[in-house]
Amino acid sequence: MTRIERIDVQMVDLQPAAVRVDAMQSFVKQETVLVTVHTSDGLSGTGYSYTIGTGGRAVMSLITDHLVPALLGRDARLVEALWRHMLDQTRATTVGAITSLAFAAVDTALWDLRGRRTGESLWRMAGGAHERLPVYDTEGGWLHLPVEELVDGAKRAATAGLCGVKVKVGRPSLAEDAERLAAVREAVGPGFEVMVDANQAFTSAEAIRRARTYEPLGIAWFEEPLPADDLHGHRRLAASTSVPVAVGESLYSVQRFGDYLAAGAVGIVQVDVARIGGITPWLKVAHAAEAFNVAVSPHFLMELHVSLAAAVPNGMYVEHIPQLQAITRSSLVIEDGHVTPPDTPGIGIDWNPDALDDHRVA
């Protein structure tokens, strides 16, 4: 039996390469919590989770004070049992963001360890459904950018062969959003996908109103139009528009995804591996979506999501927002607008120890 002997926890701060502003917030920094699980047979695996500027220390405290003591001495190969054990130890704080983020760092480390032990990549272990997936860009679509820069970013993405761009919406007036989207659509033509993302900014009535304006522009999806808790509002919106409603980055349990799918309130599932609690529940959400014939296009974390989205049959796109270059030696290669999942053992991320030291939070 391979026992967990030690678990190391650290946090690094990463500054975004570009200014990132949406309808609700600014992306100030990425607090990246890393967990390394060491076992009695001399192997180790590293996983991670993130926040966008707040809560990182709370995630670390939950891991070090509660999860680590609960996991030491247990068999690291029993990933499903260990996830359930973490849940049992934290019933008073689940379901919730901090707990899910803590679970994710540990669970991802256990999957990395599993792959290193077996010599298999995450993409293969999780299913190996696609050898590559198309990529769309978000980095050029932030809400604060003027129309000219939005258009330039969309043109660059199209020239690079990407499949589409995401444009943030939620300007004070519908006319402003419509003007910005129309300019991007005119610049890239009808064969290039344009997604929109409101970051939970609207009421149900306003989302329905804006969706009617987006429809003639051939929008690929309307992402996070409403607060994530508003299941009934999402269902009303989905029934009122032909634009697929994309939901998931702010849902924190498999059961909540089940509610959305059963209600017909989601057309694109955007499950986030960190916010759902790790790879173990991520795969459950993806397969639940498959049962409802709904595609999965995960949120952020492209370095990890490329392997997961490519592993499942209903994987659709990978979102291009680079964020780990400063602390890794590996990078994803995009060719002809598609990205190939890493085929190295584990989760496929080669961490740079010196860079981690440079960015570590004391």
Side-chain angles (χ1 to χ4, degrees):
M1 190 178 294
T2 174
R3 300 284 186 180
I4 297 174
E5 286 194 335
R6 189 176 90 246
I7 300 177
D8 299 329
V9 187
Q10 61 179 311
M11 185 169 76
V12 300
D13 279 350
L14 299 175
Q15 303 300 320
V19 177
R20 297 171 179 169
V21 178
D22 61 41
M24 301 299 289
Q25 62 194 342
S26 297
F27 195 130
V28 179
K29 64 179 178 178
Q30 177 179 304
E31 296 178 314
T32 307
V33 178
L34 294 103
V35 168
T36 300
V37 175
H38 303 269
T39 56
S40 57
D41 54 0
L43 296 176
S44 65
T46 298
Y48 73 110
S49 186
Y50 77 99
T51 80
I52 56 173
T54 58
R57 291 186 182 278
V59 174
M60 286 188 68
S61 294
L62 184 59
I63 295 171
T64 55
D65 295 346
H66 300 284
L67 300 186
V68 169
L71 295 171
L72 291 176
R74 293 183 172 269
D75 189 339
R77 296 170 297 182
L78 307 182
V79 175
E80 181 72 47
L82 292 178
W83 198 96
R84 182 60 54 175
H85 184 61
M86 290 192 292
L87 180 66
D88 291 340
Q89 299 302 306
T90 55
R91 289 288 183 181
T93 61
T94 55
V95 173
I98 298 299
T99 304
S100 291
L101 293 168
F103 284 12
V106 175
D107 185 72
T108 307
L110 292 171
W111 277 85
D112 188 50
L113 180 63
R114 172 187 280 185
R116 293 176 184 275
R117 175 174 289 108
T118 62
E120 290 286 2
S121 64
L122 174 59
W123 167 68
R124 291 184 186 277
M125 287 190 294
H130 307 281
E131 293 188 355
R132 63 177 196 158
L133 281 179
V135 179
Y136 74 90
D137 182 63
T138 295
E139 200 71 305
W142 300 102
L143 192 63
H144 68 285
L145 297 175
V147 174
E148 295 77 12
E149 291 188 34
L150 282 181
V151 168
D152 288 344
K155 286 181 176 178
R156 284 195 301 272
T159 300
L162 301 188
C163 74
V165 291
K166 183 188 291 180
V167 177
K168 298 290 183 174
V169 294
R171 288 281 185 155
S173 74
L174 173 57
E176 289 181 83
D177 275 349
E179 177 190 1
R180 291 159 63 83
L181 290 172
V184 170
R185 171 56 74 204
E186 182 179 1
V188 297
F192 190 72
E193 297 285 21
V194 178
M195 300 81 166
V196 300
D197 183 0
N199 292 97
Q200 307 185 64
F202 299 136
T203 64
S204 176
E206 182 63 17
I208 291 171
R209 175 173 173 255
R210 297 210 180 201
R212 288 173 181 159
T213 299
Y214 302 157
E215 274 188 0
L217 297 171
I219 298 303
W221 68 60
F222 191 178
E223 180 174 335
E224 284 208 310
L226 312 172
D229 288 336
D230 188 359
L231 172 61
H232 299 296
H234 281 90
R235 182 170 58 191
R236 285 181 59 209
L237 174 61
S240 72
T241 180
S242 65
V243 179
V245 176
V247 178
E249 69 180 81
S250 300
L251 300 182
Y252 296 93
S253 73
V254 175
Q255 291 76 13
R256 194 56 173 162
F257 277 98
D259 293 340
Y260 267 81
L261 289 163
V266 55
I268 306 289
V269 163
Q270 294 190 304
V271 55
D272 181 312
V273 67
R275 295 177 179 180
I276 194 62
I279 294 167
T280 300
W282 191 99
L283 290 170
K284 293 176 182 178
V285 171
H287 291 306
E290 182 188 3
F292 282 87
N293 197 26
V294 172
V296 172
S297 184
H299 166 256
F300 198 42
L301 298 184
M302 67 177 196
E303 296 87 355
L304 185 54
H305 278 142
V306 60
S307 296
L308 292 174
V312 297
N314 50 333
M316 184 181 189
Y317 292 127
V318 174
E319 181 177 21
H320 181 257
I321 310 182
Q323 193 63 18
L324 294 181
Q325 308 100 308
I327 54 173
T328 58
R329 293 180 294 224
S330 54
S331 61
L332 297 180
V333 177
I334 299 174
E335 295 180 344
D336 301 323
H338 289 71
V339 62
T340 301
D343 207 22
T344 53
I347 65 173
I349 297 175
D350 184 13
W351 304 99
N352 184 332
D354 293 334
L356 290 173
D357 288 341
D358 293 340
H359 290 82
R360 182 176 293 116
V361 177

